[in-house]
Amino acid sequence: MERTYIVGDLDIKVLSSSLGAEFVQIPSKQSFSSSEIHNFMVSAFPLEIKCVVLDVESNPSFCLDLAMHIRLSLCDLGINALCPIVLLTNLGIKTLLSVNSNSQIVLTDAIYVSSIPELRDRLNGLVRLRIEDYHRVFLSKISINPPSVSEFDNHGLANEWGASALYRAVTGSFHGVPDCEALREARKQLYFKYVITRSSDDIQSLALQGKQVVLKDYIQDHLTVPAHGRHVLLIDDMANRGWSYVLGLILRGAKIDIIEEKVRDYNDYSPTAKQMIQEGEYDLYILDLRLSGMDEDAVTDPMSFSGMKVLKEIKKVNRGRQVIMFTASNKAWNLKALMHPSAGANGYYIKESPLSSFSETVTRKNLSAFCKEVETCFQRGYLKQFFDINMELYPLSKKKDKSIQELYSQMNIAFDCADRAITKEQFKYAFISLFQVFELLIKNLTQDNRDKEPGKIILQLKSRLAENEFEWQDAIAIHQDSSSRIKSKSELSPSRSILMRYRGEKFAVHERLSAIYLQLLKEEDKGLLCLLWEIIEMRNTIIHGFDPRKSPYSKAAVRKSEFYETYKHLTVFEEASLKAIIDEMIDKEMIRMNNDRLTQSSYPYRFHCSAAKSRIGIQLALYCLCYFFNVYKN
Amino acid sequence: MIYLFDDSPEESRRKYIDLDTYRDVIILFGSITTSKLDEIREQLLEASCILIHRSLRDADNPNRNDVFESILDISNMGDSIPLVVFSGEDSEEAVFDGDTYIQSFNKTCLYENLAFFLSSFAASRVIDLKTLVHGERIQSRLALNEGVVILKKLRLLNPNEPFDATIIEGQDLHSLVQRASPTLGCSYSDIITEVKTERISASEFIRRIRSIIDSFSAYGKNIYRWGS
């Protein structure tokens, strides 16, 4: 049921009684903040509003501010925001227009001026504002300045707006009640309401959705990132002004740590903050460009921004760490500096400000782009491993051992390739670069001895006895046959003929690597062999364009027992472990078991090397390499 | 001397005022260290007025506002030295705590009125914080404030009937009449007498007061004679 409300001092209450209106008393106070007026508005009008009468003489500024709040509160009042408003006063129009900056509302539609004697008659002829006319007769006629002009204050409300804009994108509207006090308070500000309505793509929906509805849990999943188990560090002096909350909605399930200190330089941080930066293991760092809480617009060199200095420190610990910069700056040279390899940011997001706010559609697009960048950063987490290995090798590379220097150099090349990889081809190239590290390992740690036993080629491994002392130990032996590699099937079992055809006169890469890992390093987890096999397959697919239809294995059907027989002669394997390997390879679908026959798997993914699969290959390779260096260095 | 503590960039301040023009009456400090504050403490104690931004941080530690707190102590919250605390997020309506302390005032409004305030101080050497709050429109604002109080007393009366003069007696009418003089052409006691003897209706009295207020709004002064 619609009610007429009369707002004023206590002496006006008698008027409301005579008109059958609800009386609302203005609190006794010198001045009211925007939040206070908003809170008053929300509590003053519990029912549907037919009309609001504001007794200007009770408090001219308050009444005009309240009128503006009512009109701009489509989110909070719904269509009640369109109610006719009567300014009860004996003041002339010109005087009314001079009261404060919100006096401009007097010149908009559905605002009436009346004295007390005329009020009863006036109440009969009131017309509501129509939502279709809202923009034309109201919004386009007013202008609300930000509470602090942008040049004066780059933080404060601007930050809340940026976070709120993201909140709107994630939840689909401003009608939700964010579980964040900073955002709830910001939305009570008149300027905030003004920007909300101006930036809305659909004012009608904004009004017709009605009063605030608790939509705390309504999140548009397609504009979020699944991040369970991920650990994120947010470095922003305004983190608790809404950013940590909204990022928590976007990065679903992530654990988000915060550093909120204001600093001009990394060295200004507290020991706790420095420890988090130096030692923390985070999947993603989100870092604001300006951390000092003061204006940094006078900074002309992008590298002098407080955030850039912290970025440098983050990357100094590990170049593989993934960092997305948050910036309110849309200056092209700043953004270019962020992404330059010397700075090392892996992405950036431009924080909206009230003065450069985007439409809802553009905000959603920006959010979508941000989510993609986050996902890419999560995928690139393996780069940290890369850099860890590099750091391990670095002191070793200072020694005069050329093989180690070669390894270090190749790792650097592979890291740079992986760091810059964006396209499918670039990832493949990065993978091949990394695979060359394995080839260097093979080159340095294995040799084929053809002299030790005539008629046999023996794969030998370089085993370290002491600091600079090595010996060659036997690993695998094959029979040498220089006349013909392919024996007739009558002479060899089918499995051996396949093996001989494929191997030729040298040991296969997987055999060499298996020997290194299983014999040299005495690795007990035979599953590692499967990983090596996958990496080799991937390398061959990329280099040779491996076609499954032409694979010699695709038509081969080898009995499990024969397969087992084939590999039995490899001294590196023990019988029990070989069985475990075969079982694991079956589990991983690398080979299939069908009626006791093993066939090469035709699982298609293995032969199509997409960027994603190359990335997985890099991760697998790194895992193997990490293992190698962890054990070998000891 | 007036002291202004605000770390906003100079370029944005120039939009409203060139402080160099008023260097004889105002000294500007951006953010300063606590040690620097100690250096200027003695001269600060002799200040005529202090204007300070609420979010002023220590120059040597942006996480602290020891300088802000110290300055409030030096001024003794306006009791020793008139003090104005301002912020971009404060209301346009200044919140006074007595005549010499403004607890909150909008930053933009402050800078809009600062030139007028400094000129007035330069001329009179008297600090009137209302001048800073209202700027060049001080007369019209004060007239409005006084007029509104008077109108409020009359609005519920029967408009066509005379009213008791005691309803309007008081400082507000006195101040308004003084402000509107000499153009108004009569004194406070003249008006009270007129109400008592000639029994002016409430609506007529309201009309006359409104004329005065409107005149101040439009022209910054009263141009009407009482009763015209």
Side-chain angles (χ1 to χ4, degrees):
Chain A
M1 184 184 150
E2 290 184 336
R3 303 303 298 267
T4 294
Y5 293 90
I6 297 184
V7 180
D9 283 342
L10 202 55
D11 58 339
I12 214 78
K13 190 174 180 182
V14 61
L15 184 65
S16 64
S17 305
S18 68
L19 293 172
E22 287 285 327
F23 171 71
V24 185
Q25 186 173 357
I26 296 176
S28 172
K29 222 172 168 279
Q30 266 189 62
S31 150
F32 294 84
S33 67
S34 203
S35 290
E36 286 169 332
I37 297 177
H38 172 91
N39 291 339
F40 174 87
M41 178 194 73
V42 167
S43 64
F45 310 123
L47 302 173
E48 299 301 306
I49 304 174
K50 182 179 178 185
C51 163
V52 172
V53 179
L54 303 174
D55 181 37
V56 175
E57 261 84 293
S58 294
N59 189 324
S61 281
F62 177 88
C63 289
L64 289 165
D65 290 346
L66 178 60
M68 193 62 87
H69 263 274
I70 290 171
R71 266 299 176 265
L72 285 173
S73 294
L74 290 175
C75 284
D76 306 287
L77 299 178
I79 56 171
N80 284 322
L82 309 174
C83 68
I85 297 173
V86 179
L87 299 172
L88 193 62
T89 183
N90 287 304
L91 294 173
I93 292 289
K94 280 192 179 164
T95 301
L96 265 183
L97 288 172
S98 70
V99 170
N100 66 18
S101 56
N102 287 324
S103 295
Q104 56 186 315
I105 197 170
V106 174
L107 299 176
T108 64
D109 282 26
I111 302 291
Y112 303 86
V113 179
S114 173
S115 63
I116 289 178
E118 302 160 341
L119 184 60
R120 189 178 292 274
D121 288 336
R122 178 64 86 175
L123 288 176
N124 289 330
L126 301 178
V127 177
R128 299 179 80 84
L129 199 59
R130 296 192 322 150
I131 190 61
E132 299 84 2
D133 298 331
Y134 185 85
H135 194 278
R136 183 176 59 83
V137 303
F138 171 66
L139 206 57
S140 62
K141 291 189 175 181
I142 65 161
S143 175
I144 310 281
N145 287 325
S148 49
V149 181
S150 68
E151 315 96 284
F152 274 42
D153 187 354
N154 283 304
H155 294 263
L157 202 63
N159 261 278
E160 277 90 335
W161 173 257
S164 283
L166 266 189
Y167 176 83
R168 174 177 62 177
V170 172
T171 61
S173 80
F174 273 116
H175 285 76
V177 180
D179 192 13
C180 171
E181 191 184 345
L183 291 189
R184 286 199 303 274
E185 282 304 306
R187 286 166 57 178
K188 295 177 183 177
Q189 304 303 309
L190 193 67
Y191 182 66
F192 228 77
K193 297 182 183 186
Y194 176 63
V195 184
I196 286 174
T197 47
R198 283 198 76 93
S199 66
S200 173
D201 289 343
D202 186 353
I203 285 182
Q204 202 147 350
S205 296
L206 202 62
L208 294 176
Q209 280 178 46
K211 294 186 180 182
Q212 272 188 337
V213 175
V214 177
L215 290 173
K216 218 159 57 166
D217 298 320
Y218 178 71
I219 304 290
Q220 299 189 88
D221 283 349
H222 67 284
L223 288 174
T224 63
V225 178
H228 290 277
R230 298 290 186 183
H231 205 177
V232 176
L233 179 62
L234 171 61
I235 306 174
D236 188 342
D237 64 309
M238 290 284 165
N240 281 323
R241 298 291 285 265
W243 290 107
S244 60
Y245 170 72
V246 174
L247 283 172
L249 297 180
I250 296 170
L251 309 178
R252 283 185 286 123
K255 180 175 183 299
I256 301 178
D257 289 342
I258 294 167
I259 294 178
E260 211 185 1
E261 296 167 31
K262 295 184 192 307
V263 295
R264 289 197 188 83
D265 199 289
Y266 172 78
N267 291 326
D268 294 339
Y269 273 126
S270 64
T272 307
K274 281 181 182 169
Q275 190 178 15
M276 287 169 79
I277 291 170
Q278 291 292 323
E279 297 172 19
E281 289 292 329
Y282 294 98
D283 299 293
L284 177 65
Y285 298 75
I286 297 178
L287 170 63
D288 196 66
L289 184 63
R290 302 170 203 217
L291 300 167
S292 66
M294 296 178 191
D295 183 63
E296 294 188 48
D297 264 347
V299 171
T300 50
D301 174 14
M303 300 308 290
S304 298
F305 280 115
S306 45
M308 290 292 256
K309 295 174 190 173
V310 177
L311 171 64
K312 199 173 147 188
E313 290 300 322
I314 292 172
K315 288 288 188 172
K316 201 193 278 185
V317 173
N318 188 314
R319 278 171 60 198
R321 287 172 158 185
Q322 299 298 296
V323 184
I324 293 180
M325 300 295 289
F326 269 17
T327 173
S329 168
N330 58 2
K331 291 176 182 157
W333 52 91
N334 285 342
L335 300 177
K336 198 174 167 186
L338 287 177
M339 302 304 292
H340 193 271
S342 61
N346 302 100
Y348 63 83
Y349 170 79
I350 299 179
K351 288 180 173 178
E352 289 184 41
S353 88
L355 296 176
S356 60
S357 74
F358 308 132
S359 67
E360 291 176 51
T361 308
V362 173
T363 302
R364 275 196 293 275
K365 280 188 181 164
N366 282 346
L367 173 56
S368 180
F370 171 69
C371 290
K372 285 196 175 69
E373 283 201 331
V374 170
E375 284 172 334
T376 302
C377 284
F378 284 160
Q379 286 163 357
R380 286 162 54 92
Y382 61 84
L383 289 172
K384 282 192 294 180
Q385 268 184 301
F386 236 124
F387 198 72
D388 280 339
I389 296 175
N390 253 24
M391 293 294 283
E392 297 259 4
L393 281 177
Y394 180 70
L396 294 176
S397 72
K398 293 300 175 190
K399 295 185 181 177
K400 288 185 181 170
D401 187 335
K402 280 192 179 168
S403 60
I404 297 290
Q405 287 174 357
E406 214 176 350
L407 266 175
Y408 181 71
S409 176
Q410 187 57 39
M411 282 293 294
N412 268 333
I413 292 170
F415 178 87
D416 278 339
C417 291
D419 195 23
R420 292 164 203 254
I422 299 173
T423 66
K424 181 171 76 172
E425 294 308 314
Q426 287 169 339
F427 271 110
K428 284 186 192 176
Y429 190 70
F431 174 79
I432 294 298
S433 298
L434 185 60
F435 192 85
Q436 285 179 317
V437 177
F438 287 102
E439 290 174 351
L440 283 173
L441 285 179
I442 289 169
K443 177 184 151 192
N444 291 316
L445 295 177
T446 70
Q447 68 176 9
D448 295 352
N449 190 323
R450 295 166 192 269
D451 302 324
K452 192 173 178 183
E453 289 186 33
K456 269 191 184 177
I457 305 172
I458 301 174
L459 175 68
Q460 291 184 314
L461 300 171
K462 193 174 185 181
S463 173
R464 186 167 57 191
L465 295 173
E467 176 71 24
N468 290 311
E469 219 177 308
F470 298 92
E471 70 167 4
W472 289 101
Q473 57 174 255
D474 294 352
I476 315 168
I478 56 168
H479 290 282
Q480 188 175 6
D481 187 327
S482 58
S483 59
S484 169
R485 291 191 212 161
I486 301 173
K487 297 289 184 186
S488 64
K489 284 190 181 178
S490 61
E491 291 179 36
L492 287 172
S493 68
S495 57
R496 279 189 68 82
S497 72
I498 291 163
L499 208 59
M500 291 298 290
R501 186 189 309 137
Y502 189 59
R503 184 191 296 133
E505 284 189 350
K506 57 182 180 179
F507 293 96
V509 169
H510 74 84
E511 289 178 317
R512 294 179 189 272
L513 279 176
S514 306
I516 290 172
Y517 276 81
L518 298 173
Q519 182 163 326
L520 195 63
L521 303 184
K522 298 182 177 40
E523 166 53 34
E524 293 297 321
D525 177 8
K526 302 303 186 287
L528 200 58
L529 181 66
C530 297
L531 291 182
L532 292 172
W533 194 300
E534 285 210 44
I535 296 163
I536 294 163
E537 283 278 335
M538 189 171 291
R539 181 260 179 194
N540 290 339
T541 303
I542 293 171
I543 295 293
H544 302 301
F546 202 19
D547 185 338
R549 291 165 297 186
K550 296 179 185 169
S551 164
Y553 283 131
S554 62
K555 295 175 186 172
V558 181
R559 286 184 187 280
K560 183 177 177 181
S561 53
E562 287 171 346
F563 188 89
Y564 181 71
E565 259 321 294
T566 302
Y567 279 90
K568 217 170 82 171
H569 73 281
L570 296 173
T571 59
V572 66
F573 295 116
E574 293 170 9
E575 190 169 322
S577 58
L578 181 58
K579 285 184 180 165
I581 288 169
I582 291 171
D583 286 340
E584 186 156 355
M585 288 172 74
I586 291 171
D587 278 343
K588 285 182 182 289
E589 296 186 339
M590 297 174 79
I591 51 178
R592 279 190 184 167
M593 176 84 149
N594 186 12
N595 293 327
D596 199 39
R597 287 187 178 271
L598 295 166
T599 57
Q600 191 79 355
S601 173
S602 60
Y603 186 48
Y605 100 90
R606 298 172 66 216
F607 306 112
H608 294 109
C609 232
S610 62
K613 294 309 166 192
S614 296
R615 203 159 42 223
I616 290 173
I618 293 171
Q619 286 174 272
L620 296 178
L622 279 173
Y623 176 76
C624 296
L625 280 173
C626 265
Y627 179 83
F628 173 85
F629 287 114
N630 278 336
V631 176
Y632 192 69
K633 70 181 178 185
N634 295 323
Chain B
M1 187 64 79
I2 295 168
Y3 288 79
L4 170 62
F5 294 89
D6 184 4
D7 54 1
S8 301
E10 182 58 29
E11 300 77 43
S12 51
R13 214 185 334 270
R14 267 193 221 284
K15 202 172 151 182
Y16 298 95
I17 184 171
D18 179 3
L19 287 177
D20 281 342
T21 313
Y22 301 93
R23 57 182 173 276
D24 292 338
V25 293
I26 189 167
I27 296 177
L28 166 69
F29 286 98
S31 63
I32 62 172
T33 61
T34 46
S35 55
K36 177 67 180 173
L37 180 65
D38 287 337
E39 281 176 31
I40 64 169
R41 186 177 289 267
E42 286 303 314
Q43 70 191 75
L44 205 52
L45 285 167
E46 300 297 318
S48 301
C49 179
I50 296 174
L51 315 174
I52 184 167
H53 190 204
R54 188 188 308 284
S55 60
L56 190 77
R57 300 280 167 192
D58 298 353
D60 47 356
N61 188 340
N63 291 299
R64 297 191 66 83
N65 64 345
D66 293 336
V67 167
F68 176 84
E69 295 294 338
S70 296
I71 290 173
L72 259 57
D73 286 341
I74 289 171
S75 83
N76 198 11
M77 309 299 278
D79 284 343
S80 303
I81 303 168
L83 174 69
V84 178
V85 179
F86 62 92
S87 165
E89 292 172 356
D90 285 345
S91 165
E92 292 175 12
E93 298 291 314
V95 177
F96 278 85
D97 183 357
D99 292 331
T100 57
Y101 177 31
I102 295 178
Q103 290 179 346
S104 76
F105 186 41
N106 181 265
K107 185 177 185 175
T108 304
C109 291
L110 181 138
Y111 279 103
E112 283 175 344
N113 299 333
L114 187 58
F116 183 77
F117 173 68
L118 294 175
S119 298
S120 300
F121 174 69
S124 67
R125 290 291 160 178
V126 170
I127 292 290
D128 179 0
L129 293 184
K130 289 194 187 69
T131 312
L132 181 62
V133 170
H134 300 303
E136 289 173 347
R137 296 172 57 239
I138 184 169
Q139 292 301 321
S140 60
R141 294 300 304 191
L142 292 177
L144 173 64
N145 291 347
E146 290 150 2
V148 162
V149 172
I150 300 166
L151 292 175
K152 198 175 163 189
K153 293 175 183 178
L154 297 167
R155 70 194 198 280
L156 288 171
L157 300 177
N158 187 322
N160 301 317
E161 296 288 327
F163 60 94
D164 189 344
T166 57
I167 291 174
I168 51 149
E169 280 176 339
Q171 185 58 46
D172 295 293
L173 180 62
H174 197 274
S175 297
L176 185 63
V177 169
Q178 261 195 318
R179 202 177 302 286
S181 299
T183 314
L184 197 64
C186 64
S187 67
Y188 168 81
S189 54
D190 292 338
I191 293 173
I192 296 297
T193 304
E194 186 182 4
V195 170
K196 281 178 182 172
T197 60
E198 295 188 26
R199 300 177 66 73
I200 301 174
S201 69
S203 62
E204 172 58 20
F205 198 88
I206 286 172
R207 186 193 67 77
R208 295 184 190 186
I209 296 294
R210 184 170 65 212
S211 297
I212 297 173
I213 299 171
D214 284 351
S215 178
F216 272 103
S217 292
Y219 310 111
K221 62 181 181 181
N222 174 49
I223 62 169
Y224 299 114
R225 290 187 68 80
W226 179 253
S228 61

